[in-house]
Amino acid sequence: MPSTTFRADAVLFDMDGTLTDSIAAVEAAWGAVAVDLGLDPETVIAATHGKRAVDNLAQFRPEIKPHEMEGAVAAFEQSILDFADSFQKRAARRRSTGESSSGFSARPGLDSGESTPGLSPTSAFSSRSGSLSTPSSSSIDPSTGLRRPSFATRLSDMLASAIPEDSVVPVFDESADDKHTDEKQADTDIEAAWETEADSVDRSIRILPGVKDMIECIPDGRYAVATSGANTYAYGAMTRVGITPPPVTITADDKRLKAGKPAPDPFLLAASCLGFDAKRCVVFEDSPSGIRAGVASGATVIAVCTSHERSKIENCGAHFVVEDMRKVRCRTEDEGAGMQLAFTVEH
């Protein structure tokens, strides 16, 4: 198989979609925000991927005041981890209590057991039903290598079966009272569909193929993580899959950052903290905004097709596009200050 070899001083990893696969949990969390606001989950999920939660929340939740934003980001990122953990916790609870697997958990705060993050009961139903469309791409299931249906697809299917065909109330309909009752029931059904879907899917965070071997090949002090996730999410995701966050881990809430991806700031800061010029670094990324950030930093960018189809990222400027990190090998050359990292990329 054709390959290209080049050398660099250090590696700058994105996290989600590059080192870890928590896409399903992230989709569920942004999907919850979308449905809660009466927006199209597919549109919101696509618009938010690879960007900082603070920027996304500022866009979709403009009512959040500046002094409230840090807490809002932490709460949102905790909801990602809650979605990621809920299936396993629910399964453990069923095993310990003998509970049937067909049931679904109560909304947060309604009991003392583990529960799946839920929607606000005041969400507007009228704008949800027609807006859930099938996405063009979804994340990779590491166990099968196949793309799995996204959150929006699964929820759309469940909502379609939960919405009565006659739930729209016509003007001047003498049976409006009955129709209003049907609408209320539809709202109840949609909440039940959400809870059932959210609780029945394993969204556990996983390490992506080739990542463990790649990290083990790189000496300490020669790699960093620069992620659009804030501290809660970044450290929570990495530790859940056995990755020790490196000393240089640049998160979205780092006060030294003036801008997040697609600006190059996170990668420039990470390279500087390692003591290397970004132009002598390799960036591993999966999202269009992250790839553009890496290119803008001057680094050599390797894009991995772990969260997006190749057609969605191959025109973003990456120097190489590979299926996953198994297509890239790294070895060290020389020692001490003169050490270099030699990368071989299979085409």
Side-chain angles (χ1 to χ4, degrees), residues 189-209:
D189 290 343
I190 200 116
E191 294 295 327
W194 168 274
E195 297 267 5
T196 301
E197 194 281 337
D199 208 39
S200 63
V201 176
D202 186 357
R203 297 188 178 87
S204 301
I205 300 172
R206 298 174 174 86
I207 191 167
L208 283 164

Side-chain angles (χ1 to χ4, degrees), residues 23-299:
I23 299 298
V26 172
E27 282 187 349
W30 283 119
V33 171
V35 178
D36 203 32
L37 295 175
L39 301 175
D40 176 11
E42 179 189 354
T43 300
V44 173
I45 289 167
T48 55
H49 187 70
K51 300 177 184 176
R52 299 184 301 176
V54 63
D55 298 326
N56 292 328
L57 288 174
Q59 176 183 353
F60 291 104
R61 296 286 307 278
E63 75 279 6
I64 298 176
K65 296 178 175 59
H67 69 275
E68 300 171 335
M69 185 57 76
E70 185 173 351
V73 169
F76 172 76
E77 295 201 339
Q78 185 59 51
S79 79
I80 298 175
L81 300 177
D82 290 343
F83 272 114
D85 295 341
S86 64
F87 183 87
Q88 296 298 333
K89 289 183 176 179
R90 186 78 170 98
R93 184 180 170 195
R94 284 199 301 267
R95 288 193 297 270
S96 65
T97 63
E99 180 182 349
S100 169
S101 60
S102 62
F104 56 83
S105 62
R107 297 173 60 81
L110 295 185
D111 67 8
S112 59
E114 299 295 347
S115 57
T116 300
L119 296 175
S120 164
T122 59
S123 300
F125 169 74
S126 60
S127 59
R128 299 179 200 158
S129 57
S131 65
L132 292 165
S133 56
T134 303
S136 59
S137 65
S138 53
S139 58
I140 302 294
D141 184 342
S143 64
T144 65
L146 302 175
R147 296 190 181 276
R148 59 193 176 204
S150 74
F151 165 83
T153 300
R154 295 190 302 269
L155 185 58
S156 176
D157 292 342
M158 298 195 73
L159 299 191
S161 63
I163 302 170
E165 293 182 359
D166 60 349
S167 60
V168 178
V169 181
V171 180
F172 305 124
D173 186 351
E174 294 180 357
S175 61
D177 287 343
D178 291 338
K179 296 294 185 180
H180 181 65
T181 300
D182 290 341
E183 274 195 329
K184 293 177 68 175
Q185 181 59 47
D187 259 341
T188 301
D189 290 343
I190 200 116
E191 294 295 327
W194 168 274
E195 297 267 5
T196 301
E197 194 281 337
D199 208 39
S200 63
V201 176
D202 186 357
R203 297 188 178 87
S204 301
I205 300 172
R206 298 174 174 86
I207 191 167
L208 283 164
V211 169
K212 183 175 182 291
D213 290 340
M214 178 60 66
I215 291 177
E216 289 178 347
C217 289
I218 305 172
D220 292 342
R222 292 295 184 121
Y223 70 95
V225 170
T227 174
S228 294
N231 189 75
T232 299
Y233 172 43
Y235 282 81
M238 284 189 279
T239 55
R240 277 167 170 76
V241 299
I243 296 175
T244 300
V248 178
T249 295
I250 308 300
T251 58
D253 46 359
D254 193 308
K255 303 301 183 185
R256 296 170 292 179
L257 289 176
K258 294 182 179 179
K261 303 172 187 178
D265 300 38
F267 291 126
L268 292 174
L269 178 58
S272 176
C273 290
L274 286 175
F276 298 104
D277 186 337
K279 294 181 176 63
R280 290 287 306 160
C281 293
V282 176
V283 163
F284 282 92
E285 261 287 359
D286 72 299
S287 71
S289 63
I291 293 168
R292 294 188 180 101
V295 172
S297 75

